[in-house]
């Protein structure tokens, strides 16, 4: 309809943009489905922010003449669809306010974005890029690993180039499975260029179409449509990475050209198995991790010298321990063996150094070797967001809070939309006893993904640390229920109940953990937390001794976890710290516990709008 073309400028409000020329509404760069008349109604309101737009004006604009006789029903339906798209509420609107029997008013600030393009000066030097998830145009589920894997491989290729900042896979994965405006995505990711693409099978061949777009003005810098045999996927990756480096006019030295052309394997079957393994590894969950291990093992069976596949094995085995799926002694030695094998094959592989460093930290409690390996990984690849994040956690576990937060800030600058980085920043603030800052950081994470359970978990811990026990209980109870009573969430809730006098509830949480432990591995660390919350110090110390005997990975946080503060003066606790290499020096700060807010406790649960709507199944800390 003509009313969608009345404005030449995009209109931005909050995280939304409306492009009248294209008739598109986008949220954080993702296109939303909205029919023509609701779009026109929204545009009419946006053109006059803060003003009443009467129902009669809307009728004349959107339903002229006799084209739609049921006007009342039509406008009411259109308003409902607009509110649904904006996640707005008629009762407490943030965007569209209803003035009964009169009309509507748009109440949020609106920014008109200039669309005039300069006469075509050369774009600035492109020193940052995001590879958005390639779209599986065939929509065949068994090809999803290929589109995801091609994206991740290109990110890994381009990250080898000095002077080019490449956004990590965890940040760009948020744009998967949707029609995305590359410029809006690029602005959100803070890069100057965006690579988009799609792939599909045609007969026995693979067709890959990709396009490189400059973010500021929308110029198309480069594009290709490649048709190759499925066995030539490695050649496709090499060709795209090489041509992008040429288009960005990157001055490559001989060493960089060699790094860019280098392959981790020459076997296409091994490479496809590796891509399948990465796909399953990113999905997490017990079944996904076991399938990832099968794929990585298949890759190293095809090519025993495939170092990256060995790193994948190390990560998958390690996660089985972190998620309480298998005892550490059953899987971490295999993880270490795989990481050491990867380093033997490629001593300059930063991912292998980072993986082995983490295992030295959480299983061997060899903090010196762990630090050395983390620093070596970052010497090789300073812009490796994963290594930065893991190194930050290492520093946080040592009680070096300021250094840890600085490193996690660097990881966040490299991986700006990573839910994991954002959540772990909140965790570091929590163990640093900066509870209000931890809560604020958790809320920032939930702005990106309201259904992310790990952020709600941290929010609950932070609220408990700040003395807001009713609020904390609501968050932690929500996480525990929606994660199938995951041990870490159940322990956090049981500890809170114990410290706030709800002894029966705490004992029920402890019994649940015992019951799970009778049927499979549960970290003794979680039972120690609940016992500590109940004031049963001797029992808590016994559970921590069991964690020590099991080489439990969560014991690495013993020095800084605020929930264990009542035990810190006990000689057995100090001895345990010495045995895991943390000692008694530089003890973490002992924040004075705020007095609980009795008014909130007696008022019951916090308002429903404080709680994210519906948590996805997941494990706190993932």
């Amino acid at each position: 309809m003509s009313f969608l073309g009345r404005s030449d400028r995009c209109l931005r409000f909050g995280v939304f943009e409306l492009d009248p020329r294209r008739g598109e509404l986008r949220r954080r760069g993702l296109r939303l489905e909205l029919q023509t008349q609701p779009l026109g109604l929204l545009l009419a309101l946006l053109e006059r922010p803060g003003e009443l737009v009467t129902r009669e004006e809307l009728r004349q604009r959107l339903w002229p003449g006799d084209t739609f006789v049921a006007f009342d029903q039509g406008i009411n339906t259109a308003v409902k669809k607009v509110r649904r798209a904006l996640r707005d509420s008629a009762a407490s609107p943030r965007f569209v306010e209803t003035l009964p029997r009169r009309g509507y008013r748009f109440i949020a600030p609106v920014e008109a974005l200039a669309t005039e393009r300069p006469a075509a000066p050369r774009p600035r030097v492109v020193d940052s890029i995001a590879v958005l998830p390639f779209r599986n145009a065939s929509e065949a589920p068994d090809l999803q690993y290929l589109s995801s894997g091609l994206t991740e491989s290109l990110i890994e290729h381009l990250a080898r180039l000095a002077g080019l900042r490449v956004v990590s896979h965890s940040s760009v994965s948020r744009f998967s499975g949707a029609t995305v405006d590359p410029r809006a995505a690029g602005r959100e990711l803070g890069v100057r260029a965006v690579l988009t693409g799609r792939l599909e099978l045609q007969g026995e061949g693979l067709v890959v179409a990709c396009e490189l777009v400059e973010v500021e003005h929308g110029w198309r810098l480069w594009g290709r449509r490649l048709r190759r045999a499925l066995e030539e996927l490695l050649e496709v990756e090499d060709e795209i990475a090489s041509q992008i480096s040429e288009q960005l006019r990157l001055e490559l030295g001989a060493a960089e050209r060699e790094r860019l052309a280098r392959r981790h394997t020459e076997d296409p079957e091994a490479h496809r198995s590796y891509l399948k393994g990465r796909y399953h590894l990113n999905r997490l969950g017990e079944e996904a991790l076991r399938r990832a291990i099968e794929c990585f093992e298949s890759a190293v069976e095809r090519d025993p010298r495939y170092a990256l596949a060995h790193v994948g094995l190390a990560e998958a085995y390690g996660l089985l321990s972190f998620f309480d799926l298998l005892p550490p002694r059953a899987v971490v030695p295999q993880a270490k063996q795989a990481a050491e094998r990867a380093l033997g094959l490629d001593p300059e592989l930063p991912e292998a150094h980072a993986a082995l460093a983490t295992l030295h930290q959480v299983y061997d409690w060899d903090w010196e070797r762990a630090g050395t390996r983390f620093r070596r990984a970052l010497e090789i690849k300073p812009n490796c967001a994963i290594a930065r994040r893991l190194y930050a956690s290492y520093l946080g576990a040592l009680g070096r809070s300021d250094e840890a937060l600085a490193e996690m800030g660097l990881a966040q600058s490299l991986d700006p939309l990573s839910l994991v980085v954002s959540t772990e920043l909140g965790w570091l603030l929590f163990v640093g006893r900066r509870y209000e800052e931890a809560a604020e950081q958790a809320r920032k994470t939930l702005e990106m993904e309201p259904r992310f359970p790990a952020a709600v978990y941290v929010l609950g811990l932070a609220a408990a640390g700040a003395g807001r026990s009713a609020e904390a209980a609501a968050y932690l109870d929500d996480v525990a229920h929606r994660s199938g009573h995951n041990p870490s969430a159940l322990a956090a809730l049981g500890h809170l109940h114990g410290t706030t006098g709800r002894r029966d509830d705490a004992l029920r949480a402890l019994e649940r953990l015992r019951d799970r432990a009778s049927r499979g591995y549960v970290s003794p660390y979680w039972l120690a937390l609940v016992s500590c919350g109940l004031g049963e110090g001797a029992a808590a110390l016994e559970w921590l001794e069991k964690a020590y005997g099991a080489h439990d990975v969560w014991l690495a946080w013993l020095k800084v976890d605020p929930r264990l503060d009542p035990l810190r003066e006990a000689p057995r606790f100090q001895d345990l710290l010495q045995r895991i290499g943390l000692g008694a020096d530089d003890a973490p700060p002992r924040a004075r516990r705020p007095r609980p807010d009795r008014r909130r406790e007696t008022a019951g649960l916090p308002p429903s709008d404080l709680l994210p709507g519906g948590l996805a199944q997941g494990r706190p800390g993932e």
Side-chain angles (χ1 to χ4, degrees), residues 439-468:
E440 180 60 28
Q441 181 59 39
R443 292 188 187 99
K444 289 179 181 178
T445 309
L446 292 169
E447 287 177 5
M448 293 192 287
E449 179 49 73
R451 298 176 61 86
F452 196 57
V456 183
Y457 175 75
V458 171
L459 187 56
L461 296 180
R468 299 191 298 275

Side-chain angles (χ1 to χ4, degrees), residues 123-138:
R124 290 181 293 173
V125 173
V126 174
D127 56 4
S128 53
I129 188 172
V131 182
L132 298 186
F134 274 47
R135 187 164 60 88
N136 174 15
S138 298

Side-chain angles (χ1 to χ4, degrees), residues 182-384:
R183 294 180 65 194
R187 285 193 296 268
E188 188 167 357
L189 292 164
V191 295
R192 291 186 174 172
V194 168
L195 180 69
T196 64
R198 62 183 181 88
L199 55 86
E200 60 182 310
L201 284 178
Q202 290 187 0
E204 297 298 317
L206 181 69
V207 176
V208 180
C210 45
E211 185 176 64
L212 184 66
V213 177
E214 192 263 352
V215 169
E216 185 177 7
H217 304 104
W219 289 314
R220 183 178 187 269
L221 301 178
W222 171 82
R224 286 292 184 278
R225 181 180 172 87
L226 308 172
R227 184 183 178 91
R228 298 287 187 274
L230 191 59
E231 292 74 19
E232 297 177 304
L233 185 62
L234 286 163
E235 286 77 8
V236 170
E237 295 172 7
D238 291 344
E239 184 173 348
I240 293 174
S242 176
Q243 293 199 24
I244 287 177
S245 67
E246 292 178 9
Q247 292 300 318
L248 300 185
R249 291 173 169 75
L250 299 175
E251 297 293 334
L252 304 184
E256 282 188 296
R257 284 195 295 271
E258 182 180 346
R259 280 201 302 271
L260 188 62
R262 178 177 171 231
R263 293 180 181 174
H264 291 282
T265 183
E266 296 293 337
D267 188 317
E269 285 294 330
H271 185 54
R272 285 205 296 278
S273 292
Y274 170 76
L275 294 183
K276 289 180 182 177
R278 295 302 309 183
Y279 171 71
H280 291 301
L281 188 68
N282 290 333
R283 291 171 54 225
L284 300 175
E286 182 174 8
E287 180 60 27
L289 290 175
R290 294 187 186 282
R291 292 188 66 183
I293 289 172
E294 291 176 3
C295 293
F296 291 136
E297 287 179 339
S298 176
V300 298
E301 184 177 348
R302 292 277 311 187
D303 182 357
R305 299 188 61 78
Y306 197 173
L308 272 181
H310 289 285
V311 172
L313 275 174
E315 293 176 354
Y317 279 125
L319 287 173
L320 285 173
S321 174
F322 272 107
F323 296 163
D324 280 358
L325 297 173
L326 286 173
R329 289 185 181 277
V331 288
V332 175
Q334 295 180 75
K336 286 180 61 180
Q337 183 179 28
E340 288 166 350
R341 175 62 173 156
L343 277 175
L345 293 168
D346 186 353
E348 297 298 301
L349 190 61
E351 293 83 358
H353 282 284
L356 190 55
T358 297
L359 299 172
H360 285 325
Q361 171 192 340
V362 302
Y363 185 77
D364 299 328
W365 304 313
D366 189 336
W367 300 88
E368 183 176 353
R369 290 177 70 192
T372 298
R373 290 225 176 266
F374 277 129
R375 289 187 288 273
R376 180 60 186 140
L378 292 170
E379 285 174 6
I380 298 169
K381 190 176 178 181
N383 63 346
C384 181

Side-chain angles (χ1 to χ4, degrees), residues 332-563:
V332 175
Q334 295 180 75
K336 286 180 61 180
Q337 183 179 28
E340 288 166 350
R341 175 62 173 156
L343 277 175
L345 293 168
D346 186 353
E348 297 298 301
L349 190 61
E351 293 83 358
H353 282 284
L356 190 55
T358 297
L359 299 172
H360 285 325
Q361 171 192 340
V362 302
Y363 185 77
D364 299 328
W365 304 313
D366 189 336
W367 300 88
E368 183 176 353
R369 290 177 70 192
T372 298
R373 290 225 176 266
F374 277 129
R375 289 187 288 273
R376 180 60 186 140
L378 292 170
E379 285 174 6
I380 298 169
K381 190 176 178 181
N383 63 346
C384 181
I386 293 176
R388 288 280 175 201
R389 173 175 64 82
L390 295 174
Y391 185 46
S393 292
Y394 161 85
L395 293 170
L398 286 173
R400 294 159 61 179
S401 181
D402 290 342
E403 295 173 75
L405 292 171
E407 285 293 330
M408 196 64 82
L410 289 173
Q412 196 168 47
S413 68
L414 295 166
D415 205 352
L417 297 186
S418 168
L419 297 172
V420 174
V421 171
S422 184
T423 301
E424 290 194 7
L425 179 55
W427 167 258
L428 290 178
L429 289 164
F430 167 72
V431 298
R433 278 66 172 173
R434 296 160 67 165
Y435 301 126
E436 296 299 349
E437 293 175 72
E440 180 60 28
Q441 181 59 39
R443 292 188 187 99
K444 289 179 181 178
T445 309
L446 292 169
E447 287 177 5
M448 293 192 287
E449 179 49 73
R451 298 176 61 86
F452 196 57
V456 183
Y457 175 75
V458 171
L459 187 56
L461 296 180
R468 299 191 298 275
S469 55
E471 180 183 337
Y475 291 132
L476 295 175
D477 186 63
D478 198 20
V479 174
H481 278 90
R482 294 181 184 276
S483 64
H485 291 94
N486 174 266
S488 58
L490 194 59
L493 189 60
H495 174 270
L496 175 66
H497 289 330
T499 60
T500 54
R502 296 172 60 177
R503 185 174 181 83
D504 289 345
D505 291 331
L507 289 172
R508 275 191 288 272
L510 189 63
E511 187 57 34
R512 277 180 179 266
L513 290 169
R514 286 176 177 273
D515 180 63
R516 290 185 68 136
S518 70
R519 293 180 280 111
Y521 184 76
V522 170
S523 168
Y525 190 84
W526 306 133
L527 292 108
L529 284 179
V530 182
S531 297
C532 186
L534 284 164
E536 299 174 355
L541 289 167
E542 285 297 325
W543 285 117
L544 290 177
E545 287 289 350
K546 291 181 184 296
Y548 176 80
H551 269 253
D552 190 82
V553 296
W554 288 100
L555 209 58
W557 293 101
L558 187 68
K559 182 173 183 175
V560 294
D561 193 332
R563 296 169 291 182

Side-chain angles (χ1 to χ4, degrees), residues 65-108:
D66 296 324
T67 58
F68 194 87
V69 293
F71 165 67
D72 285 339
Q73 180 183 350
I75 194 169
N76 291 339
T77 300
V79 171
K80 286 180 181 178
K81 289 182 177 179
V82 168
R83 284 198 170 114
R84 189 179 303 123
L86 302 182
R87 301 181 182 179
D88 204 7
S89 164
S92 55
R94 293 180 298 137
F95 299 112
V96 179
E97 178 186 30
T98 299
L99 301 175
R101 295 184 298 277
R102 298 172 63 196
Y104 304 91
R105 178 166 53 202
F106 198 86
I107 57 177

